[in-house]
Amino acid sequence: MNHRSRGLARRGFIIAGSATALALAAGCGSGGSTGPDAGNGGAGTPKSGGRLRAAFAGGGANETLDPHAANLFVDAARAKALFDKLADFGADLAPVPRLAERWEPSDTLDTWRVTLRKAAFHDGRPVTAEDVLYSYRRIADPKGTFRAKASLEPIDLEASRALDASTVEFRLKRPYAEFPNVLAAFGAYIVPKDAAGFQKPVGSGPFRFVSFKPGSSLVVRRNPDYWEGAPHLDELEFVVATEESARVSALLGGQVQYAHELNPATARAHEGKGRISVIRLPGSAMQGFVMKTDRPPFDDKRVRQAFCLIADRRELVDGALSGAGEIGNDLFGKGYQYYADGLPQRTQDLERARALLKEAGAEGLKVTLDTAPAATGFIEAAGIFREQAAKAGVTVEVKVGNKDTYWKDILSGGTFASYRSGAMPIESHISQRLLTGSTTNATKWQQKDFDDLYRQAQSTRDPKERAALYDRMQRRLHDEGGFLIWGFADWIVATAPTVRGVSKEAPANTLDWARFDKIWLA
């Protein structure tokens, strides 16, 4: 399929982040049309063959194929093509077995036995219990900063062992009722036990490595021996186009057949016109700001509370997301299991915000809001909040940073920043972002008693008692936390009308999102 596109790639036609370069060939071919929003989803009989090019925002020249270092959406999509986890999250955020065929806890919940299915790495070696233990120990290495490290913390990896080639016995540091969430954790991929470098990665995923140019392109080819069945596509290429306009231009011009993350205004402009198919995944992306709770001015909870009262959430959703989403209540995971939906919806209250700032000695406060064109709506939301804050006597200076290094820059730097997240269980959100040892703790929320509550919830077998503990944690975060979560956005992807099999139900970061082994070309 599309030898022209392949040739353009080899000549370096796709340039990361360049809308001009991607648009140049718009007149050289069309994505075709079979009618408005034709044929996406699962309609029709899958057809084998062809080459699909998928455009994602990227991370620049320092990108890696190390699946344990995955952080961006493009990292996760590439890792999913090449590697597998023991489990992954279904559309309802419940863990689904993958390389793990099944799991069984002990009566005390502090030992879990995981049985592997028959699967092989791309070099023909079977996936074994030793590979699993090697992968998890690599992630958990104290010298490393891999994202899944905090999720694996409950495992005593020194005491865990391979009972045989296909059985792992995980010994835990304490009882853990929701241990399967660990197996599905973001970045917890299984690699061969001798894997050290990932210039030419060998995984067990549905596609095999062909070539990689950081910040530009990854080419992979069908794995005919994949345990779940070979992909329909012959080849898949991930191309980097950080600007949304570049991704859309490439899709309209026929240079790519899949464009990840469109903003709502763009989607509305093209939806129903037959040139592209638009897929909306409601409520997939949390949108908000993070306040660093360990430094002025946000080390005073009254200032944090005031900022949450400054936000007019409906105005933010309507302005930054063109209305394509719903308002948030400063808590992650709206609609997910354990979400504290009993808390009253927070609304704008400028008078109370002013009073809290006065109590905190922060009248006339000036703060810098870090943002970047790293995600849909970031720049727009920053501008809207700046205007809202001015009504409460707060001066917000919007500082636009480097989109390629933004997530690294805001993790420890600054005091106030734009933020978003894809889907994950609330339990995983807490473990990765809100514990003292969490590696992606952007709010610097580090409270020992909160850590203790989380561990108590981990060890509670009764679901109702466990839910009550999560409710306590969320009430605490709602009152004192550093997340100002103003909305939940629809996740929007677009494809050429000839593309089939794209899930319409899977939120970002879940099993069937970016599931290119299930996609085919009509």
Side-chain angles (χ1 to χ4, degrees):
M1 169 209 167
N2 208 336
H3 296 290
R4 179 185 70 255
S5 294
R6 188 180 308 191
L8 290 170
R10 287 173 177 167
R11 295 198 300 273
F13 181 81
I14 299 291
I15 300 174
S18 172
T20 303
L22 284 167
L24 282 174
C28 298
S30 167
S33 173
T34 57
D37 296 323
N40 233 311
T45 301
K47 175 184 174 184
S48 294
R51 189 175 201 263
L52 182 138
R53 305 183 86 217
F56 282 75
N62 293 322
E63 288 180 340
T64 176
L65 294 181
D66 183 340
H68 299 156
N71 193 42
L72 304 176
F73 287 110
V74 67
D75 297 330
R78 290 187 293 217
K80 179 179 291 189
L82 291 165
F83 299 91
D84 275 311
K85 295 188 287 185
L86 293 180
D88 210 338
F89 294 117
D92 61 354
L93 279 298
V96 177
R98 300 299 294 157
L99 285 177
E101 190 172 61
R102 61 183 182 274
W103 46 73
E104 302 166 281
S106 64
D107 290 341
T108 53
L109 297 177
D110 58 1
T111 301
W112 286 73
R113 185 169 294 184
V114 174
T115 303
L116 304 180
R117 69 175 72 253
K118 290 183 179 179
F121 290 111
H122 300 152
D123 58 8
R125 289 181 292 171
V127 178
T128 69
E130 293 294 345
D131 299 309
V132 171
L133 290 170
Y134 170 84
S135 300
Y136 279 21
R137 286 167 181 160
R138 180 176 187 266
I139 293 169
D141 188 333
K143 298 175 185 176
T145 56
F146 296 129
R147 179 167 174 174
K149 181 179 179 180
S151 296
L152 300 189
E153 183 277 333
I155 306 175
D156 184 342
L157 285 167
E158 291 302 315
S160 298
R161 58 194 178 124
L163 298 182
D164 56 43
S166 61
T167 311
V168 186
E169 183 180 81
F170 286 108
R171 300 285 183 89
L172 309 185
K173 299 173 185 175
R174 53 192 169 273
Y176 190 1
E178 296 183 284
F179 177 68
N181 283 347
V182 172
L183 310 181
F186 188 99
Y189 291 94
I190 305 306
V191 302
K193 60 187 176 185
D194 56 358
F198 292 89
Q199 292 76 23
K200 295 182 179 180
V202 173
S204 62
F207 294 94
R208 295 175 176 175
F209 174 82
V210 175
S211 65
F212 180 51
K213 184 178 180 181
S216 179
S217 169
L218 167 69
V219 178
V220 295
R221 185 171 295 135
R222 171 198 283 133
N223 174 11
D225 303 317
Y226 188 49
W227 63 266
E228 202 175 21
H232 305 303
L233 299 169
D234 287 332
E235 285 190 334
L236 168 66
E237 181 176 9
F238 295 91
V239 296
V240 170
T242 296
E243 295 175 11
E244 189 237 17
S245 58
R247 298 193 293 277
V248 175
S249 294
L251 182 61
L252 290 170
Q255 286 76 57
V256 303
Q257 294 75 43
Y258 179 104
H260 187 254
E261 193 179 0
L262 272 64
N263 70 50
T266 301
R268 262 205 304 271
H270 294 285
E271 198 165 17
K273 296 183 179 179
R275 296 188 68 189
I276 64 175
S277 297
V278 173
I279 300 100
R280 298 174 181 273
L281 306 173
S284 294
M286 178 202 92
Q287 298 276 345
F289 303 111
V290 288
M291 301 173 280
K292 294 281 192 297
T293 63
D294 66 338
R295 64 200 68 171
F298 298 110
D299 55 349
D300 189 318
K301 74 175 182 179
R302 293 170 295 186
V303 176
R304 303 195 295 273
Q305 291 167 343
F307 270 56
C308 289
L309 291 169
I310 284 170
D312 181 332
R313 294 145 205 279
R314 175 48 58 190
E315 185 181 21
L316 282 160
V317 169
D318 289 346
L321 304 176
S322 299
E326 57 181 312
I327 62 172
N329 195 29
D330 302 325
L331 292 174
F332 177 83
K334 193 170 187 177
Y336 300 168
Q337 185 182 26
Y338 303 128
Y339 182 75
D341 53 12
L343 286 171
Q345 174 64 52
R346 185 168 276 148
T347 57
Q348 187 183 60
D349 187 340
L350 296 177
E351 183 178 349
R352 177 60 180 153
R354 285 179 178 274
L356 284 166
L357 291 170
K358 185 175 181 179
E359 286 177 25
E363 288 181 290
L365 181 64
K366 296 181 180 180
V367 297
T368 298
L369 170 53
D370 289 302
T371 192
T376 298
F378 269 20
I379 303 296
E380 295 84 355
I384 292 167
F385 188 82
R386 176 179 57 197
E387 295 176 4
Q388 294 175 355
K391 297 175 184 176
V394 174
T395 300
V396 173
E397 177 188 349
V398 176
K399 179 181 176 183
V400 180
N402 184 333
K403 60 182 176 292
D404 292 333
T405 62
Y406 178 75
W407 296 106
K408 180 179 179 182
D409 295 342
I410 68 155
L411 186 57
S412 297
T415 59
F416 187 44
S418 299
Y419 196 84
R420 76 149 182 212
S421 170
M424 65 178 68
I426 288 171
E427 185 266 340
S428 299
H429 166 72
I430 292 171
S431 70
Q432 292 187 16
R433 297 169 177 154
L434 290 165
L435 302 182
T436 300
S438 297
T439 52
T440 52
N441 190 337
T443 64
K444 302 305 176 189
W445 173 263
Q446 297 171 330
Q447 307 287 338
K448 185 180 182 302
D449 59 339
F450 186 87
D451 296 350
D452 292 341
L453 263 181
Y454 170 73
R455 286 174 181 150
Q456 185 181 346
Q458 281 183 308
S459 304
T460 300
R461 179 184 286 272
D462 183 83
K464 289 185 179 180
E465 293 178 13
R466 191 162 62 244
L469 290 166
Y470 282 121
D471 188 77
R472 282 179 61 187
M473 283 185 274
Q474 289 175 90
R475 288 177 182 275
R476 172 89 175 274
L477 291 169
H478 190 261
D479 186 47
E480 302 178 22
F483 276 107
L484 194 175
I485 299 172
W486 52 261
F488 291 87
D490 293 350
W491 199 259
I492 304 174
V493 299
T495 71
T498 53
V499 174
R500 303 288 192 273
V502 179
S503 173
K504 296 181 178 181
E505 305 297 330
N509 284 351
T510 59
L511 172 61
D512 289 328
W513 163 82
R515 192 75 192 276
F516 290 104
D517 57 314
K518 299 298 184 184
I519 290 175
W520 71 95
L521 300 169

